Amino acid sequence: MKSNVRVLEIMEKEQICTFFQPIISLKTGSVFAYEALVRGVLPDSPDLITPCELFSRAREETVSHEFDRLCRKKALEQFRSFHTTSTALLFMNINTAIIGTGDDMDSPHISTITRQMGFVPEHVGLELIESRAHSADDLITFVNRYRSSGFLIVIDDFGCEHSNIDRLIQIHPDIIKIDRTLISGIADDPYRQSIIKSIRSLAQMTGALCLAEGVETIDEIRACHVLGVDLFQGFAIACPSPDLETLEQHTRTRIREVQHSIRKDALDSLRIRRRLTGDIHILADWLIRQIRSTPLAELHSVFEEFIAINREIECVFLLDTSGIQISETICSPVMVAQEKPTMFSPAKKGADHSFKAFFTCFEALGIQRYLTDVYLSLASGNLCRTFSVLINEHTDQNFILCIDFLEETIKPPYTLNAVS
């Protein structure tokens, strides 16, 4: 910010404007909300002052409380007429660092200005970065006050800096915004995918919605959508703009484009899944025929041949009907050659698998075949699925065949569990 421009002067002349960025729901095909983003306006200059500069200077000039209030007032003013014809909510940022240091704890200022502008609190979300709060007790008191007034509570930037799971549970937000640092590159990163999936599960169990913020590519939207994320915000959808009417039209068009792309991918994935499931059955049926015609002591070479001609398979082994492994684990040459931590190693003959899903499924579900969800293989450290088949010979020599497939070969995200 220009050194001769002071935030106090900007506040006196109200030289700020609000830009809005849409938050969309692909499931409903609608604009769920708009986040209000402040910009400073310089007289006789097309340049705008960024939020970081404004809030930093407000802190230096010790007017953070006053500036925070002005930002909310301007956001509500600009959104007011648009709100009469739109069902979209308004999200406003709260400077979490000043909670408990002023009179917002003792007076319903946010409620008052919201109602004065013609809004009901249920149409407004308050965005908080919980990691920046100086006092957890003050933060929770603030949240409880405004939730009881009807406001939605939105946790912003979750997953960055010092986000705290315990504090999240205490706050019990309505919406969890997942930080861009976790979203970036998620399409090709199983670790980020696992984290997002965990956050989504936590949100689901506590009745919150998950929002992926900062999405910049259709691949990021697709990956988050597959993992169950509910809402999306970012440049891949729309850039912030002060022109709400034009922004709304652009966003609705973009929603249709994204939905079309995601739907096409979903249909393709289901078709691939159907084909791969058929392939798995065919492979398993071939191997079962070999098992039935080969003595148990000679199956080692049969498994080796099977893996050699099917590169998507990581390892093969047999269990008895108690879940005890009765063959050695035969692994692919690629897996054997991999360097991996010592905590990962194939199970040995005699290992007990009776608590694992690919065994318990038979007793629990009364089925003959089962394909697990994706999991981290303790044999290799890779993401895989296990296809298990009950080989019923009507003798004392019944077996369960287990085939581990690398997840890359079963890439579509749609989970298939029980297979009849």
Side-chain angles (χ1 to χ4, degrees), residues 1 5-17 38-43 49 53-74 77 98 109:
M1 190 162 71
V5 177
R6 299 177 62 242
V7 166
L8 196 56
E9 294 175 0
I10 290 175
M11 290 170 57
E12 289 172 354
K13 299 176 182 179
E14 296 193 357
Q15 291 176 329
I16 63 172
C17 68
V38 66
R39 301 288 187 269
V41 180
L42 291 170
I49 307 172
E53 292 177 293
L54 288 169
F55 283 101
S56 176
R57 186 61 64 87
R59 186 171 57 253
E60 293 172 5
E61 298 179 26
T62 65
V63 289
S64 292
H65 274 281
E66 295 81 359
F67 184 67
D68 210 39
R69 289 184 174 188
L70 176 62
C71 291
R72 290 195 290 270
K73 172 177 172 288
K74 297 295 285 186
E77 282 179 348
I98 63 175
H109 176 266

Side-chain angles (χ1 to χ4, degrees), residues 120-392:
V120 295
E122 288 78 7
H123 291 167
V124 177
L126 304 181
E127 291 199 21
L128 308 163
I129 301 178
E130 49 84 22
S131 61
R132 296 183 184 174
H134 293 299
S135 164
D137 290 341
D138 286 343
L139 175 64
I140 292 165
T141 300
F142 178 92
V143 165
N144 290 340
R145 170 189 292 275
Y146 285 103
R147 173 181 284 115
S148 65
S149 297
F151 290 90
L152 294 175
I153 302 301
V154 184
I155 291 298
D156 196 8
D157 293 351
F158 188 75
C160 75
E161 295 182 354
H162 305 289
S163 297
N164 187 298
I165 292 289
D166 179 62
R167 200 154 49 214
L168 183 75
I169 294 170
Q170 290 178 292
I171 292 171
H172 197 168
D174 300 290
I175 295 169
I176 301 172
K177 295 183 74 171
I178 304 170
D179 188 67
R180 167 70 192 164
T181 56
L182 291 176
I183 302 300
S184 177
I186 188 173
D188 301 308
D189 190 331
Y191 294 99
R192 280 185 168 84
Q193 292 171 16
S194 296
I195 293 170
I196 299 298
K197 190 174 182 180
S198 297
I199 295 173
R200 168 57 182 148
S201 295
L202 175 63
Q204 195 170 31
M205 287 188 292
T206 58
L209 297 178
C210 259
L211 190 162
E213 64 174 329
V215 290
E216 295 183 355
T217 67
I218 189 69
D219 284 342
E220 290 174 352
I221 296 176
R222 183 184 298 112
C224 290
H225 174 74
V226 163
L227 293 168
V229 172
D230 305 284
L231 306 170
F232 300 86
Q233 176 183 5
F235 293 155
I237 298 157
C239 296
S241 169
D243 185 348
L244 280 162
E245 300 291 345
T246 303
L247 184 60
E248 175 92 358
Q249 294 175 12
H250 167 84
T251 303
R252 290 189 179 280
T253 300
R254 185 59 177 154
I255 290 172
R256 290 192 293 271
E257 293 171 351
V258 174
Q259 281 184 319
H260 177 75
S261 176
I262 297 281
R263 183 175 183 275
K264 182 178 181 300
D265 289 335
L267 292 175
D268 290 344
S269 294
L270 286 171
R271 293 187 187 107
I272 293 170
R273 169 64 64 197
R274 182 176 179 181
R275 177 181 60 78
L276 285 173
T277 303
D279 289 347
I280 292 169
H281 281 285
I282 292 169
L283 292 174
D285 287 343
W286 181 89
L287 191 52
I288 289 168
R289 288 195 294 271
Q290 308 309 309
I291 291 171
R292 283 173 170 161
S293 61
T294 306
L296 186 61
E298 298 175 17
L299 284 177
H300 188 285
S301 59
V302 173
F303 289 169
E304 284 185 335
E305 178 187 357
F306 178 70
I307 287 178
I309 60 178
N310 296 287
R311 295 185 178 181
E312 69 272 28
I313 294 169
E314 190 167 65
C315 58
V316 180
F317 53 95
L318 282 177
L319 310 180
D320 65 17
T321 52
S322 298
I324 303 301
Q325 187 167 329
I326 58 175
S327 75
E328 295 295 342
T329 302
I330 307 304
C331 304
S332 72
V334 174
M335 175 179 158
V336 172
Q338 283 179 337
E339 291 187 9
K340 50 186 178 291
T342 55
M343 63 181 181
F344 297 114
S345 62
K348 302 294 185 181
K349 184 176 180 179
D352 186 352
H353 298 272
S354 61
F355 286 94
K356 296 181 181 178
F358 56 74
F359 174 80
T360 59
C361 60
F362 298 108
E363 182 179 359
L365 304 176
I367 57 177
Q368 298 294 311
R369 301 185 175 205
Y370 187 83
L371 180 62
T372 69
D373 290 336
V374 180
Y375 67 93
L376 185 69
S377 169
L378 294 178
S380 66
N382 296 325
L383 292 175
C384 78
R385 297 177 190 252
T386 298
F387 187 60
S388 53
V389 183
L390 179 62
I391 307 174
N392 193 337

